[in-house]
Amino acid sequence: MSEIEFGVNLHAVSSWPDFRRVAQRADEVGFDVLAAPDHLGGLAPFAALTAAGAVSDRLRLRTYVLNAGFWNAALLAREVATLDLLSAGRAELGLGAGHMKSEHEDARIPWQPYEQRMQALERLLVQTRQRLADETHQPRPIQQPVPLLIGAMSTAGLSLAAQHADIVGFAGLRQVPGSPPGIFTVSSSAETQRRVDQVRQQANGRSYRSDVLLQVVAIGPRPIDAAARMAAGAPDRLSVEQLLDTPFALFARDADEAAGELRRRHQVYGFDCFTTHQPYLEALGQVIAAYRSTDPA
């Protein structure tokens, strides 16, 4: 296994041929993981991942990440076990506390304060794992256990990940103080280092992998120019300096430079899986090719 893996997070598709093209392309350019988010207005995550498993027999299939408030343990265990069974053992369960108040309101699901959402997330992951480990559970998942990812960037969320997760998902985004829920900015390199150190300390020697969500991948333009264009779209939340500093964006003049930067982040932060959004599939695909052309593994 390469020391670094790569994932892509599905977004909107307009048809089955469009969906199949995206899944096939992710496989062709060398992604390891196809991920599906859990948002109203988008694809249902387990249906999408099951379909992707029929298109590719190699890609791992990850929820990225489920809103804990949308699920209970009995129904979630059934979905996870079904996906794992039908994909011959390629499911990965990604969970989060949820951050879109508007979606909870639309679904008529109570929006709870953050502390209560974290408690609900812990109950859900513990109970779901118990069900999946039960030898009498039907259907039976192939993997024992199904890998668990917890996506977070807060102190409380990452503490939970340090205790339970096989994959710690460093989300990179943090709520803008004083703004409505769901308005984010990106974490700085210094803050990211503090969070990485927190998880390492609290994991207390327990083995885990680390995933980072690249919010943008821009290969070709000068990094300062690409960052300036992105910052112009969110002038109240993002600056050029923030974007060039954060480990959750990737700007490089060419794929070789980008691959070198990901190696640096692997060494500095321990990140060993880089995931991006579907619009950047081709850009990160270039980086995958450059990385693996010189990867000693």
Side-chain angles (χ1 to χ4, degrees):
M1 179 183 294
S2 170
E3 66 179 4
I4 294 178
E5 295 182 332
F6 298 90
V8 60
N9 203 23
L10 287 166
H11 280 222
V13 294
S14 59
S15 64
W16 165 245
D18 187 27
F19 176 90
R20 184 173 54 196
R21 178 191 60 79
V22 172
Q24 287 176 335
R25 187 60 180 154
D27 195 335
E28 289 169 357
V29 301
F31 282 92
D32 304 286
V33 177
L34 190 71
D38 189 17
H39 293 296
L40 296 185
L43 298 173
F46 285 103
L49 293 174
T50 301
V55 172
S56 166
D57 61 6
R58 186 186 63 81
L59 290 167
R60 295 192 61 79
L61 308 165
R62 176 186 297 170
T63 58
Y64 200 73
V65 291
L66 300 181
N67 285 290
F70 289 2
W71 298 89
N72 68 49
L75 299 180
L76 180 55
R78 180 181 66 175
E79 293 288 340
V80 174
T82 300
L83 175 62
D84 200 55
L85 179 66
L86 297 182
S87 66
R90 289 183 285 146
E92 295 183 356
L93 173 59
L95 291 172
H99 61 263
M100 295 300 291
K101 182 181 180 183
S102 60
E103 292 184 11
H104 285 70
E105 292 171 343
D106 187 19
R108 305 295 190 267
I109 296 172
W111 175 254
Q112 298 178 322
Y114 181 70
E115 184 173 319
Q116 293 180 35
R117 299 203 311 277
M118 291 303 305
Q119 293 170 354
L121 171 60
E122 184 167 23
R123 285 195 301 272
L124 179 66
L125 72 88
V126 169
Q127 292 171 8
T128 302
R129 277 200 143 174
Q130 288 173 343
R131 286 177 173 271
L132 292 172
D134 186 340
E135 293 183 358
T136 67
H137 186 276
Q138 293 297 328
R140 289 291 292 151
I142 292 175
Q143 298 177 100
Q144 288 293 340
V146 174
L148 172 67
L149 177 147
I150 297 176
M153 203 62 195
S154 67
T155 299
L158 290 175
S159 293
L160 198 62
Q163 296 172 50
H164 295 282
D166 302 300
I167 307 166
V168 177
F170 290 89
L173 299 181
R174 53 184 177 82
Q175 176 73 28
V176 175
S179 297
I183 304 300
F184 299 109
T185 188
V186 293
S187 298
S188 68
S189 58
E191 181 181 6
T192 302
Q193 187 65 67
R194 289 194 295 272
R195 299 304 190 192
V196 166
D197 291 342
Q198 171 202 335
V199 172
R200 286 172 176 163
Q201 181 178 11
Q202 293 179 340
N204 196 28
R206 192 177 67 83
S207 178
Y208 61 89
R209 293 179 66 82
S210 299
D211 180 90
V212 55
L213 181 57
L214 298 172
Q215 300 293 335
V216 59
V217 179
I219 309 300
R222 290 196 310 160
I224 193 169
D225 295 334
R229 283 195 292 273
M230 187 174 182
D236 298 330
R237 297 185 286 123
L238 297 172
S239 68
V240 173
E241 292 75 20
Q242 283 177 291
L243 288 168
L244 293 176
D245 171 71
T246 183
F248 300 91
L250 180 62
F251 303 102
R253 291 302 302 266
D254 58 42
D256 288 332
E257 180 181 299
E261 173 59 19
L262 294 189
R263 283 194 178 86
R264 186 191 72 81
R265 295 180 194 181
H266 172 69
Q267 293 170 355
V268 172
Y269 303 109
F271 296 151
D272 46 27
C273 185
F274 292 89
T275 300
T276 196
H277 299 294
Q278 181 181 321
Y280 306 112
L281 185 156
E282 294 295 342
L284 191 55
Q286 297 177 43
V287 183
I288 293 171
Y291 172 79
R292 290 186 174 152
S293 71
T294 56
D295 180 13

